[in-house]
Amino acid sequence: MDGHDAKDPKQSTADMTAFVQNLLQQMQTRFQTMSDSIITKIDEMGGRIDELEQSINGLRSEMGVEGSPSPSAPSKVKEEPKSGTDSSV
């Protein structure tokens, strides 16, 4: 019986080792997939940020070329206090 009992722990150890190796391999594969996905999304966000910066710079250039948008912005600021004054009266 001792010989038979000795095989069970060895088999159990081998099974456990195989199970743990398989589990670690699955975890590594999932981690790599998630990592690749995150990197892809970060790259996409970087591209979008670059596009946004270009759009902002384009708008700034247009505002610099056209003098009329600049004066209209302060008039909007003036309108807000007037409406605030009307509501308090």
Side-chain angles (χ1 to χ4, degrees):
M1 279 193 253
D2 290 334
H4 182 33
D5 290 340
K7 289 183 181 178
D8 286 342
K10 287 182 182 179
Q11 182 63 38
S12 178
T13 302
D15 289 344
M16 185 60 79
T17 300
F19 174 77
V20 170
Q21 287 176 341
N22 184 30
L23 186 62
L24 288 173
Q25 182 62 40
Q26 289 176 1
M27 289 173 62
Q28 182 177 4
T29 301
R30 289 179 183 171
F31 180 80
Q32 187 62 46
T33 301
M34 288 174 41
S35 178
D36 292 344
S37 175
I38 290 169
I39 290 172
T40 299
K41 289 184 187 293
I42 288 173
D43 289 343
E44 289 173 0
M45 285 177 25
R48 289 178 183 173
I49 289 171
D50 290 343
E51 290 174 8
L52 183 59
E53 286 177 348
Q54 291 174 355
S55 296
I56 290 171
N57 288 335
L59 290 171
R60 284 182 177 172
S61 296
E62 289 178 17
M63 289 178 66
V65 171
E66 299 175 8
S68 58
S70 297
S72 66
S75 66
K76 289 181 182 177
V77 173
K78 290 178 185 177
E79 289 176 344
E80 290 176 10
K82 288 180 183 178
S83 63
T85 306
D86 293 338
S87 62
S88 64
V89 172

